[in-house]
Structures are given as C-alpha cells and as structure tokens.
Amino acid sequence: MSGLTIPESEIELTAVRAQGAGGQNVNKVSNAVHLRFDIRASSLPEYVKERLLRAGDHRVSRTGMVVIKAQSHRSLEMNRAEAIARLQSLVAAVAHIPKTRRPTRPTRSSHKKRLEKKIRRGRIKALRSRVVD
C-alpha cells in the first residue's frame, strides 16, 4: 500500500450469517463479516477522502460509508482478514495517482519514413491497375 494505514478503531466489523458453504454450521454460526468504514470521519488525507467519495464504487454509499461483506471462507477470522484487505486495496487504488501523460511529437526521421512507406505502397498499388494502350 502507498504508506496509508487505516486504524482498527475506525473500522466497524460485525459478524453475520453467511450464505453458501459451511455445511451444518451455516445455519448456526455467524461466519460472514460486514465491514463498515466511515470515510468522512476517518483519519485519511483529504485528497484520498475526496477521491473515495467520487470513485463511483458500488461499495461506497451516498452517506460516505464503505460497506464490504466477506463470506467466502468458513472461518470468521479469515473473512475478517479478507474484508480488511479489500478495504486496504480499495484505499490504495484510490490513493495511487497515475503519472500524467505528456504528448510527444514524432521524430523527423520517423515522419519521413512513414511518408516514404506510403509512397512506396501507392506505387505498388498503381502497378496493379489496368494497362491502357
């Protein structure tokens, strides 16, 4: 991650009943994890908060709350770790600022080569035309 850490105190984890795999336990044990993270109340830098809120991600609600449900593992601990990892990857993806592209001009030699190639190709095609007496 890009040096950003999210304190455990800002993350709200709730155990809920999972769907899917779990055998007989699936109906008795709460193995899935609901992670809730309030963007506006967090200690993240302002530019990261703004980019998270504008990201348009389905996990971010209109109120500025990130909601992640992890239920792919059978154990609560693994689901908790996966939910936290998903939150960290979401924040890391938003915190990464891509390098701005500076437009460049083609070199004189590449420009000349391209035009010569076009002329050569045109001459080849001209040879295919019908000969008129």
Side-chain angles (χ1 to χ4, degrees), residues 107-120:
T107 61
R108 187 178 290 141
S109 115
S110 68
H111 183 72
K112 187 177 169 187
K113 281 181 190 173
R114 185 179 65 84
L115 292 178
E116 285 173 357
K117 195 173 178 182
K118 283 169 70 82
I119 291 167
R120 201 176 314 122

Side-chain angles (χ1 to χ4, degrees), residues 6-7 19 24 27 29 39 53 56 61-63 73 77 79 85 91 99 103 112 119 122:
I6 302 166
Q19 302 162 324
Q24 295 174 337
N27 299 323
V29 183
I39 297 169
L53 292 169
S61 68
R62 281 190 219 107
T63 58
H73 301 286
E77 291 76 26
N79 282 330
V91 171
K99 199 163 65 171
K112 187 177 169 187
I119 291 167

Side-chain angles (χ1 to χ4, degrees), residues 49-80:
K49 288 181 186 180
E50 284 299 315
R51 291 184 66 171
L52 260 174
L53 292 169
R54 282 189 284 117
D57 196 295
H58 69 278
R59 296 170 289 192
V60 180
S61 68
R62 281 190 219 107
T63 58
M65 190 74 78
V66 177
V67 180
I68 296 173
K69 184 176 183 183
Q71 62 179 12
S72 60
H73 301 286
R74 284 190 178 201
S75 76
L76 183 68
E77 291 76 26
M78 288 179 77
N79 282 330
R80 183 179 289 136

Side-chain angles (χ1 to χ4, degrees), residues 2-131:
S2 61
L4 292 174
T5 53
I6 302 166
E8 292 274 336
S9 59
E10 295 179 2
I11 300 171
E12 180 189 326
L13 294 164
T14 315
V16 293
R17 286 210 177 137
Q19 302 162 324
Q24 295 174 337
N25 272 351
V26 78
N27 299 323
K28 316 188 282 190
V29 183
S30 299
N31 281 342
V33 172
H34 258 156
L35 179 142
R36 296 176 68 78
F37 177 71
D38 191 2
I39 297 169
R40 290 188 175 98
S42 70
S43 62
L44 292 172
E46 284 301 317
Y47 80 97
V48 176
K49 288 181 186 180
E50 284 299 315
R51 291 184 66 171
L52 260 174
L53 292 169
R54 282 189 284 117
D57 196 295
H58 69 278
R59 296 170 289 192
V60 180
S61 68
R62 281 190 219 107
T63 58
M65 190 74 78
V66 177
V67 180
I68 296 173
K69 184 176 183 183
Q71 62 179 12
S72 60
H73 301 286
R74 284 190 178 201
S75 76
L76 183 68
E77 291 76 26
M78 288 179 77
N79 282 330
R80 183 179 289 136
E82 183 187 345
I84 292 170
R86 279 200 241 159
L87 175 65
Q88 287 177 339
S89 68
L90 174 68
V91 171
V94 169
H96 172 74
I97 300 171
K99 199 163 65 171
T100 54
R101 183 192 176 276
R102 289 192 193 92
T104 57
R105 293 182 64 190
T107 61
R108 187 178 290 141
S109 115
S110 68
H111 183 72
K112 187 177 169 187
K113 281 181 190 173
R114 185 179 65 84
L115 292 178
E116 285 173 357
K117 195 173 178 182
K118 283 169 70 82
I119 291 167
R120 201 176 314 122
R121 189 80 186 138
R123 286 183 184 146
I124 290 170
K125 288 188 172 191
L127 289 173
R128 294 183 191 153
S129 63
R130 190 176 291 162
V131 180

